[in-house]
Amino acid sequence: MAVHEKVKEFYRNELVELQNADLYKEERTIFTPQGADITVEYPANSKPREVLNFCANNYLGLSSHPSIIAAAQKGLEERGYGMSSVRFICGTQDQHKELEGKVSRFLGLEDTILYSSCFDANGGIFEALLGEEDALISDELNHASIIDGIRLCKAERHRYKHSDMKDLKHHLEQTQNKRFRMVVTDGVFSMDGVLAKLDEICDLVEEYDAILVVDDSHATGFIGKTGRGTHEHFDVMGRVDIMTTTFGKALGGASGGCISGSKVFIDLLRQRSRPYLFSNTVSPVVVAGTIRALELIGASTSLRDTLEENAKYFRRRISEAGFEIKPGFHPIVPVMLHDAGVVQNMARDLYFEGIYVIGFFYPVVPRGQARIRVQISAAHEKHHIDHAVEAFTKVGKKYGVVK
Amino acid sequence: MAYNEKTKSHYDNELKCIRGAGLFKEERYIESPQAASIKVEYPAGAPTKDVLNFCANNYLGLSSHPEVIAAAHRGLDERGYGMSSVRFICGTQDIHRELENKLSEFLGVEDTILFPSCMEANAGLFEVMLDKDDAMIADRLVHASIVDGMRLCKAQLYNYKHSDMAHLEEKLQETQNCRFRLIITDGVFSMDGDIAKLDVICDLAEQYNAMVMVDDSHATGFIGKRGKGTHEHCGVIDKVDVITTTLGKALGGAAGGCVSGRKEIVAMCRQRARPYLFSNAVPPVVIAAAIKIIDLISASTERRDKLEWNTNYYREKMVRAGLDIKKGESPIVPVMLYNAKLAQDVARDLYDEGIYVVGFFFPVVPQGQARIRTQISADHEREHLDKAVAAFTKVGEKYKILGKKKEEVIAMYGA
């Protein structure tokens, strides 16, 4: 027994400290497929309850969509379960290439490389493309996976204030002596549901001759008139160099991610990107499911249109009920409560009113900005949203948040 | 878009250098499920060809096993396709817990936490366990994902010469002033197929009060009498503190990995491991299949026994045929060719003979140690193994390397 009592004691204390600081993350057990209606056991060992899910990234309602399931079943039958290999040894099926082509066409970019996850895509992109002669200029609120990718890259690091174009310009000016500059931003910031100002960013990037990378994980499939993402929304398709995105949210939600962009970047990533070279290929069943997801959303905008309507409806109703929300139109709707205690109490009470949501507070969001992040799905019906607004109103009154 | 000529020509040039150095990795398109016999298009545009696969991590032949596929179907029907969430928001199904418990029981550890891949498990683990007052003491040949995980951790980094226990002890002596020390090793080293000396490592760990971490990705399911891994093989099941492993190789090969071990360490990972907190839950279809796989390999050692038989048979026949293979007992059997071009030429000729293998060379292995890494599967039948040995013999004759010593091959082809 090599781990001695000192070590155990140390880790135990850390866990107790997290509990005392109300930062301990508890998992709730779900007994059903992902959907608008799910059965959940919470707290542990209590009787499972049917609740409405308002905290999934299941934006288009495709996570358990019959057509996706059927495609996955067909994938299993025809292409097997796993490849047991990385891509370049014996893990590339023809359908991997087919999916890469479909993603490129959907996003309007030249080429695409698949990863096990968008976490891995972001982990492997910067180091492969930049060296110490270069600079990375990153929005301060970018996703954790981008931060980890940057930590693994030798380029000089610059951080600009969230969506502050003057500060971005300042950093672009400061780094003019560098060989390459890469500006990196989330397309949609996941805690706020706010879009990056991609039109202004594109102008600046062009003025200063930098490369632009956008992580569109919370946008691909539903932002923009045909759901291509934030670049479509801002009418800057053709001006973004590289996008990273996920199949783990709107596009079925199982796993997998990708990087799309000019062919030369993608070619080099295939040779050098460590998570691509050293982690498994995306499994055939997920490739088949994702191909179908892209076919569905390529053929019709009805799911993203429903989602847009639902988000608009919830945003209007919850505002009319007297709640403060972050303005916008994205299906991420943060209900601002500011106080961490109120957030946790309300999320718990909402659960017992049949609404499953999660509170977010420091350090995930800044102090004093605690919130419940509501996420709307195309799988929600109007009566689901009405139920949620009623529950919020009832519980909000109890805590004096609304009258 | 600032993707101008300067940028483009820079990256174009990098690609040219990679090609010029003979290091360009080409992908071959497989048009069938993963198995001992597959349909491959190579080079791109060529007609498809039926070949025997000797380069997959499909050790137990479970990647397309009917019972695994059936379990995946049930998972899809009963639990859906994706969770569209991380674990702690709304991505934990009861079957996620069930699989975590089954893995703990199978590996003989206290607790388990799932990750989207073992790459992400290794990326997240060290930063959670250790801080700048601590030391990581790693074998020099550990997998790239461990290297990346260590790069993300603030603890001081030491490494010891591959499997050199005296050197490890030296490093343990050097780091006695650190708060915690963690010895880090692969269970089976993927390029050589050799097994870490876990018994000696655990003795040293006890003597110097250090913890032991093993990445058992190339062992879980088939190394050790009951296939539990290198800790079983080396008789140290209770002595390893943390194991990381994958569901992406022997255990079906789709996706997913885990950290298994002391419950405090697993509990800390649930609170703090960044890839766990910020990447998707393993999809239900993979969970359902993995549960079935643990059930299959717990109920019977038939598949690992067949793999062991296949490995011994193949190793013996390859030696007898005069091929220079790395000694060992794992199903990773490197055929040493020393020269990068020779490794690629032999691999291409073997493909023409119906044997699909890949050459490995610098920087994946040290300069002058180019090789073809063959990997044996329980899916291989005896005639497959015979066919591979015959093909190696034929191609080996062509290049006049049969029965030749390392120095002789290098004299003929260079290192």
Side-chain angles (χ1 to χ4, degrees), chain A residues 155-178:
Chain A
E156 190 176 281
R157 297 171 199 173
H158 293 259
R159 210 161 53 158
Y160 64 95
K161 290 193 198 104
H162 174 50
S163 279
D164 182 332
M165 294 300 107
K166 262 174 75 179
D167 198 32
L168 169 57
K169 188 178 166 102
H170 168 74
H171 284 287
L172 283 163
E173 269 165 7
Q174 272 197 337
T175 51
Q176 306 231 44
N177 59 332
K178 292 288 169 187

PDB file of all heavy atoms in Angstrom, chain A residues 155-178:
ATOM      1  N   ALA A 155       3.500  29.565 -28.144  1.00  0.00           N
ATOM      2  CA  ALA A 155       3.332  30.945 -28.611  1.00  0.00           C
ATOM      3  C   ALA A 155       3.119  31.892 -27.425  1.00  0.00           C
ATOM      4  O   ALA A 155       2.635  31.487 -26.365  1.00  0.00           O
ATOM      5  CB  ALA A 155       2.148  31.020 -29.565  1.00  0.00           C
ATOM      6  N   GLU A 156       3.488  33.147 -27.625  1.00  0.00           N
ATOM      7  CA  GLU A 156       3.282  34.166 -26.584  1.00  0.00           C
ATOM      8  C   GLU A 156       1.774  34.335 -26.343  1.00  0.00           C
ATOM      9  O   GLU A 156       0.990  34.396 -27.283  1.00  0.00           O
ATOM     10  CB  GLU A 156       3.886  35.477 -27.096  1.00  0.00           C
ATOM     11  CG  GLU A 156       3.988  36.567 -26.068  1.00  0.00           C
ATOM     12  CD  GLU A 156       4.689  37.788 -26.688  1.00  0.00           C
ATOM     13  OE1 GLU A 156       5.929  37.753 -26.793  1.00  0.00           O
ATOM     14  OE2 GLU A 156       3.986  38.720 -27.101  1.00  0.00           O
ATOM     15  N   ARG A 157       1.388  34.438 -25.054  1.00  0.00           N
ATOM     16  CA  ARG A 157      -0.044  34.468 -24.741  1.00  0.00           C
ATOM     17  C   ARG A 157      -0.543  35.872 -24.440  1.00  0.00           C
ATOM     18  O   ARG A 157       0.035  36.569 -23.616  1.00  0.00           O
ATOM     19  CB  ARG A 157      -0.322  33.593 -23.527  1.00  0.00           C
ATOM     20  CG  ARG A 157       0.007  32.163 -23.768  1.00  0.00           C
ATOM     21  CD  ARG A 157      -0.066  31.389 -22.478  1.00  0.00           C
ATOM     22  NE  ARG A 157       0.671  30.145 -22.624  1.00  0.00           N
ATOM     23  CZ  ARG A 157       0.921  29.308 -21.639  1.00  0.00           C
ATOM     24  NH1 ARG A 157       0.485  29.589 -20.412  1.00  0.00           N
ATOM     25  NH2 ARG A 157       1.596  28.199 -21.857  1.00  0.00           N
ATOM     26  N   HIS A 158      -1.638  36.236 -25.071  1.00  0.00           N
ATOM     27  CA  HIS A 158      -2.291  37.509 -24.788  1.00  0.00           C
ATOM     28  C   HIS A 158      -3.766  37.237 -24.546  1.00  0.00           C
ATOM     29  O   HIS A 158      -4.359  36.400 -25.215  1.00  0.00           O
ATOM     30  CB  HIS A 158      -2.151  38.458 -25.985  1.00  0.00           C
ATOM     31  CG  HIS A 158      -0.740  38.894 -26.228  1.00  0.00           C
ATOM     32  ND1 HIS A 158      -0.265  40.117 -25.838  1.00  0.00           N
ATOM     33  CD2 HIS A 158       0.309  38.245 -26.794  1.00  0.00           C
ATOM     34  CE1 HIS A 158       1.026  40.214 -26.176  1.00  0.00           C
ATOM     35  NE2 HIS A 158       1.402  39.080 -26.745  1.00  0.00           N
ATOM     36  N   ARG A 159      -4.341  37.979 -23.575  1.00  0.00           N
ATOM     37  CA  ARG A 159      -5.750  37.783 -23.279  1.00  0.00           C
ATOM     38  C   ARG A 159      -6.445  39.131 -23.387  1.00  0.00           C
ATOM     39  O   ARG A 159      -5.966  40.092 -22.787  1.00  0.00           O
ATOM     40  CB  ARG A 159      -5.865  37.249 -21.856  1.00  0.00           C
ATOM     41  CG  ARG A 159      -7.038  36.371 -21.634  1.00  0.00           C
ATOM     42  CD  ARG A 159      -6.828  35.540 -20.407  1.00  0.00           C
ATOM     43  NE  ARG A 159      -6.489  36.408 -19.268  1.00  0.00           N
ATOM     44  CZ  ARG A 159      -6.665  36.040 -18.008  1.00  0.00           C
ATOM     45  NH1 ARG A 159      -7.131  34.866 -17.722  1.00  0.00           N
ATOM     46  NH2 ARG A 159      -6.335  36.848 -17.037  1.00  0.00           N
ATOM     47  N   TYR A 160      -7.503  39.217 -24.152  1.00  0.00           N
ATOM     48  CA  TYR A 160      -8.220  40.500 -24.205  1.00  0.00           C
ATOM     49  C   TYR A 160      -9.508  40.414 -23.411  1.00  0.00           C
ATOM     50  O   TYR A 160     -10.075  39.335 -23.228  1.00  0.00           O
ATOM     51  CB  TYR A 160      -8.454  40.968 -25.644  1.00  0.00           C
ATOM     52  CG  TYR A 160      -9.347  40.107 -26.509  1.00  0.00           C
ATOM     53  CD1 TYR A 160     -10.706  40.397 -26.639  1.00  0.00           C
ATOM     54  CD2 TYR A 160      -8.829  39.042 -27.232  1.00  0.00           C
ATOM     55  CE1 TYR A 160     -11.535  39.626 -27.457  1.00  0.00           C
ATOM     56  CE2 TYR A 160      -9.635  38.267 -28.045  1.00  0.00           C
ATOM     57  CZ  TYR A 160     -10.993  38.561 -28.151  1.00  0.00           C
ATOM     58  OH  TYR A 160     -11.794  37.790 -28.957  1.00  0.00           O
ATOM     59  N   LYS A 161      -9.938  41.615 -22.918  1.00  0.00           N
ATOM     60  CA  LYS A 161     -11.161  41.665 -22.111  1.00  0.00           C
ATOM     61  C   LYS A 161     -12.321  41.172 -22.956  1.00  0.00           C
ATOM     62  O   LYS A 161     -12.406  41.442 -24.150  1.00  0.00           O
ATOM     63  CB  LYS A 161     -11.427  43.099 -21.638  1.00  0.00           C
ATOM     64  CG  LYS A 161     -10.427  43.555 -20.589  1.00  0.00           C
ATOM     65  CD  LYS A 161     -10.907  44.850 -19.918  1.00  0.00           C
ATOM     66  CE  LYS A 161      -9.756  45.543 -19.217  1.00  0.00           C
ATOM     67  NZ  LYS A 161      -9.255  46.711 -19.976  1.00  0.00           N
ATOM     68  N   HIS A 162     -13.254  40.470 -22.279  1.00  0.00           N
ATOM     69  CA  HIS A 162     -14.344  39.797 -22.975  1.00  0.00           C
ATOM     70  C   HIS A 162     -15.052  40.697 -23.982  1.00  0.00           C
ATOM     71  O   HIS A 162     -15.639  41.715 -23.618  1.00  0.00           O
ATOM     72  CB  HIS A 162     -15.336  39.271 -21.933  1.00  0.00           C
ATOM     73  CG  HIS A 162     -16.561  38.696 -22.543  1.00  0.00           C
ATOM     74  ND1 HIS A 162     -16.522  37.765 -23.554  1.00  0.00           N
ATOM     75  CD2 HIS A 162     -17.879  38.936 -22.317  1.00  0.00           C
ATOM     76  CE1 HIS A 162     -17.759  37.448 -23.898  1.00  0.00           C
ATOM     77  NE2 HIS A 162     -18.590  38.153 -23.169  1.00  0.00           N
ATOM     78  N   SER A 163     -14.960  40.308 -25.248  1.00  0.00           N
ATOM     79  CA  SER A 163     -15.634  40.994 -26.359  1.00  0.00           C
ATOM     80  C   SER A 163     -15.312  42.491 -26.429  1.00  0.00           C
ATOM     81  O   SER A 163     -16.101  43.261 -26.967  1.00  0.00           O
ATOM     82  CB  SER A 163     -17.164  40.798 -26.279  1.00  0.00           C
ATOM     83  OG  SER A 163     -17.494  39.541 -26.814  1.00  0.00           O
ATOM     84  N   ASP A 164     -14.176  42.879 -25.877  1.00  0.00           N
ATOM     85  CA  ASP A 164     -13.777  44.288 -25.883  1.00  0.00           C
ATOM     86  C   ASP A 164     -12.876  44.527 -27.102  1.00  0.00           C
ATOM     87  O   ASP A 164     -11.704  44.157 -27.129  1.00  0.00           O
ATOM     88  CB  ASP A 164     -13.043  44.590 -24.569  1.00  0.00           C
ATOM     89  CG  ASP A 164     -12.635  46.052 -24.465  1.00  0.00           C
ATOM     90  OD1 ASP A 164     -12.423  46.703 -25.522  1.00  0.00           O
ATOM     91  OD2 ASP A 164     -12.509  46.531 -23.326  1.00  0.00           O
ATOM     92  N   MET A 165     -13.455  45.141 -28.120  1.00  0.00           N
ATOM     93  CA  MET A 165     -12.760  45.263 -29.404  1.00  0.00           C
ATOM     94  C   MET A 165     -11.579  46.234 -29.320  1.00  0.00           C
ATOM     95  O   MET A 165     -10.591  46.093 -30.048  1.00  0.00           O
ATOM     96  CB  MET A 165     -13.736  45.707 -30.496  1.00  0.00           C
ATOM     97  CG  MET A 165     -14.805  44.678 -30.812  1.00  0.00           C
ATOM     98  SD  MET A 165     -14.113  43.090 -31.393  1.00  0.00           S
ATOM     99  CE  MET A 165     -14.376  42.042 -29.989  1.00  0.00           C
ATOM    100  N   LYS A 166     -11.684  47.217 -28.396  1.00  0.00           N
ATOM    101  CA  LYS A 166     -10.555  48.140 -28.240  1.00  0.00           C
ATOM    102  C   LYS A 166      -9.356  47.400 -27.654  1.00  0.00           C
ATOM    103  O   LYS A 166      -8.215  47.606 -28.070  1.00  0.00           O
ATOM    104  CB  LYS A 166     -10.950  49.303 -27.309  1.00  0.00           C
ATOM    105  CG  LYS A 166     -11.370  50.539 -28.099  1.00  0.00           C
ATOM    106  CD  LYS A 166     -11.898  51.631 -27.208  1.00  0.00           C
ATOM    107  CE  LYS A 166     -10.786  52.349 -26.442  1.00  0.00           C
ATOM    108  NZ  LYS A 166     -11.379  53.440 -25.606  1.00  0.00           N
ATOM    109  N   ASP A 167      -9.661  46.529 -26.700  1.00  0.00           N
ATOM    110  CA  ASP A 167      -8.574  45.776 -26.066  1.00  0.00           C
ATOM    111  C   ASP A 167      -7.971  44.759 -27.047  1.00  0.00           C
ATOM    112  O   ASP A 167      -6.757  44.560 -27.085  1.00  0.00           O
ATOM    113  CB  ASP A 167      -9.097  45.078 -24.802  1.00  0.00           C
ATOM    114  CG  ASP A 167      -7.962  44.658 -23.891  1.00  0.00           C
ATOM    115  OD1 ASP A 167      -6.924  45.364 -23.863  1.00  0.00           O
ATOM    116  OD2 ASP A 167      -8.091  43.621 -23.214  1.00  0.00           O
ATOM    117  N   LEU A 168      -8.810  44.149 -27.862  1.00  0.00           N
ATOM    118  CA  LEU A 168      -8.308  43.225 -28.883  1.00  0.00           C
ATOM    119  C   LEU A 168      -7.372  43.974 -29.840  1.00  0.00           C
ATOM    120  O   LEU A 168      -6.270  43.510 -30.165  1.00  0.00           O
ATOM    121  CB  LEU A 168      -9.484  42.598 -29.652  1.00  0.00           C
ATOM    122  CG  LEU A 168      -9.122  41.801 -30.918  1.00  0.00           C
ATOM    123  CD1 LEU A 168      -8.146  40.672 -30.605  1.00  0.00           C
ATOM    124  CD2 LEU A 168     -10.379  41.232 -31.582  1.00  0.00           C
ATOM    125  N   LYS A 169      -7.808  45.154 -30.247  1.00  0.00           N
ATOM    126  CA  LYS A 169      -7.003  45.963 -31.166  1.00  0.00           C
ATOM    127  C   LYS A 169      -5.657  46.303 -30.525  1.00  0.00           C
ATOM    128  O   LYS A 169      -4.607  46.232 -31.173  1.00  0.00           O
ATOM    129  CB  LYS A 169      -7.784  47.236 -31.512  1.00  0.00           C
ATOM    130  CG  LYS A 169      -7.153  48.089 -32.610  1.00  0.00           C
ATOM    131  CD  LYS A 169      -8.053  49.304 -32.880  1.00  0.00           C
ATOM    132  CE  LYS A 169      -7.288  50.328 -33.693  1.00  0.00           C
ATOM    133  NZ  LYS A 169      -7.616  50.353 -35.103  1.00  0.00           N
ATOM    134  N   HIS A 170      -5.722  46.637 -29.246  1.00  0.00           N
ATOM    135  CA  HIS A 170      -4.505  46.953 -28.506  1.00  0.00           C
ATOM    136  C   HIS A 170      -3.510  45.787 -28.564  1.00  0.00           C
ATOM    137  O   HIS A 170      -2.319  45.978 -28.820  1.00  0.00           O
ATOM    138  CB  HIS A 170      -4.891  47.295 -27.067  1.00  0.00           C
ATOM    139  CG  HIS A 170      -3.739  47.364 -26.116  1.00  0.00           C
ATOM    140  ND1 HIS A 170      -2.845  48.417 -26.114  1.00  0.00           N
ATOM    141  CD2 HIS A 170      -3.329  46.515 -25.154  1.00  0.00           C
ATOM    142  CE1 HIS A 170      -1.926  48.195 -25.185  1.00  0.00           C
ATOM    143  NE2 HIS A 170      -2.194  47.055 -24.586  1.00  0.00           N
ATOM    144  N   HIS A 171      -4.017  44.573 -28.339  1.00  0.00           N
ATOM    145  CA  HIS A 171      -3.126  43.404 -28.366  1.00  0.00           C
ATOM    146  C   HIS A 171      -2.626  43.114 -29.778  1.00  0.00           C
ATOM    147  O   HIS A 171      -1.498  42.666 -29.955  1.00  0.00           O
ATOM    148  CB  HIS A 171      -3.832  42.188 -27.774  1.00  0.00           C
ATOM    149  CG  HIS A 171      -3.918  42.242 -26.285  1.00  0.00           C
ATOM    150  ND1 HIS A 171      -2.831  42.030 -25.466  1.00  0.00           N
ATOM    151  CD2 HIS A 171      -4.943  42.540 -25.452  1.00  0.00           C
ATOM    152  CE1 HIS A 171      -3.201  42.166 -24.195  1.00  0.00           C
ATOM    153  NE2 HIS A 171      -4.477  42.478 -24.164  1.00  0.00           N
ATOM    154  N   LEU A 172      -3.453  43.365 -30.763  1.00  0.00           N
ATOM    155  CA  LEU A 172      -3.013  43.174 -32.148  1.00  0.00           C
ATOM    156  C   LEU A 172      -1.889  44.161 -32.482  1.00  0.00           C
ATOM    157  O   LEU A 172      -0.927  43.824 -33.184  1.00  0.00           O
ATOM    158  CB  LEU A 172      -4.187  43.348 -33.117  1.00  0.00           C
ATOM    159  CG  LEU A 172      -5.146  42.158 -33.191  1.00  0.00           C
ATOM    160  CD1 LEU A 172      -6.472  42.537 -33.835  1.00  0.00           C
ATOM    161  CD2 LEU A 172      -4.502  40.983 -33.941  1.00  0.00           C
ATOM    162  N   GLU A 173      -2.015  45.366 -31.945  1.00  0.00           N
ATOM    163  CA  GLU A 173      -0.959  46.358 -32.186  1.00  0.00           C
ATOM    164  C   GLU A 173       0.346  45.953 -31.494  1.00  0.00           C
ATOM    165  O   GLU A 173       1.422  46.077 -32.062  1.00  0.00           O
ATOM    166  CB  GLU A 173      -1.413  47.741 -31.700  1.00  0.00           C
ATOM    167  CG  GLU A 173      -2.088  48.507 -32.819  1.00  0.00           C
ATOM    168  CD  GLU A 173      -2.880  49.711 -32.334  1.00  0.00           C
ATOM    169  OE1 GLU A 173      -2.801  50.053 -31.124  1.00  0.00           O
ATOM    170  OE2 GLU A 173      -3.582  50.293 -33.170  1.00  0.00           O
ATOM    171  N   GLN A 174       0.182  45.456 -30.278  1.00  0.00           N
ATOM    172  CA  GLN A 174       1.358  45.066 -29.476  1.00  0.00           C
ATOM    173  C   GLN A 174       2.152  43.907 -30.053  1.00  0.00           C
ATOM    174  O   GLN A 174       3.295  43.697 -29.679  1.00  0.00           O
ATOM    175  CB  GLN A 174       0.889  44.636 -28.089  1.00  0.00           C
ATOM    176  CG  GLN A 174       0.796  45.765 -27.117  1.00  0.00           C
ATOM    177  CD  GLN A 174       0.751  45.213 -25.707  1.00  0.00           C
ATOM    178  OE1 GLN A 174       0.370  44.065 -25.512  1.00  0.00           O
ATOM    179  NE2 GLN A 174       1.155  46.007 -24.743  1.00  0.00           N
ATOM    180  N   THR A 175       1.508  43.107 -30.893  1.00  0.00           N
ATOM    181  CA  THR A 175       2.152  41.867 -31.337  1.00  0.00           C
ATOM    182  C   THR A 175       2.580  41.924 -32.797  1.00  0.00           C
ATOM    183  O   THR A 175       2.814  40.890 -33.425  1.00  0.00           O
ATOM    184  CB  THR A 175       1.182  40.676 -31.159  1.00  0.00           C
ATOM    185  OG1 THR A 175      -0.057  41.020 -31.776  1.00  0.00           O
ATOM    186  CG2 THR A 175       0.938  40.360 -29.708  1.00  0.00           C
ATOM    187  N   GLN A 176       2.724  43.134 -33.341  1.00  0.00           N
ATOM    188  CA  GLN A 176       3.022  43.260 -34.780  1.00  0.00           C
ATOM    189  C   GLN A 176       4.364  42.676 -35.186  1.00  0.00           C
ATOM    190  O   GLN A 176       4.579  42.357 -36.342  1.00  0.00           O
ATOM    191  CB  GLN A 176       2.973  44.736 -35.203  1.00  0.00           C
ATOM    192  CG  GLN A 176       1.666  45.400 -34.826  1.00  0.00           C
ATOM    193  CD  GLN A 176       1.021  46.129 -35.985  1.00  0.00           C
ATOM    194  OE1 GLN A 176       0.962  45.609 -37.093  1.00  0.00           O
ATOM    195  NE2 GLN A 176       0.547  47.338 -35.729  1.00  0.00           N
ATOM    196  N   ASN A 177       5.268  42.563 -34.203  1.00  0.00           N
ATOM    197  CA  ASN A 177       6.596  42.014 -34.533  1.00  0.00           C
ATOM    198  C   ASN A 177       6.609  40.491 -34.602  1.00  0.00           C
ATOM    199  O   ASN A 177       7.617  39.893 -34.942  1.00  0.00           O
ATOM    200  CB  ASN A 177       7.617  42.505 -33.507  1.00  0.00           C
ATOM    201  CG  ASN A 177       7.228  42.066 -32.103  1.00  0.00           C
ATOM    202  OD1 ASN A 177       6.043  41.882 -31.802  1.00  0.00           O
ATOM    203  ND2 ASN A 177       8.214  41.883 -31.241  1.00  0.00           N
ATOM    204  N   LYS A 178       5.474  39.865 -34.278  1.00  0.00           N
ATOM    205  CA  LYS A 178       5.431  38.395 -34.274  1.00  0.00           C
ATOM    206  C   LYS A 178       5.267  37.853 -35.694  1.00  0.00           C
ATOM    207  O   LYS A 178       4.717  38.531 -36.564  1.00  0.00           O
ATOM    208  CB  LYS A 178       4.252  37.917 -33.411  1.00  0.00           C
ATOM    209  CG  LYS A 178       4.445  38.202 -31.947  1.00  0.00           C
ATOM    210  CD  LYS A 178       5.486  37.281 -31.397  1.00  0.00           C
ATOM    211  CE  LYS A 178       5.910  37.698 -29.998  1.00  0.00           C
ATOM    212  NZ  LYS A 178       7.047  36.897 -29.535  1.00  0.00           N
TER     213      LYS A 178
END
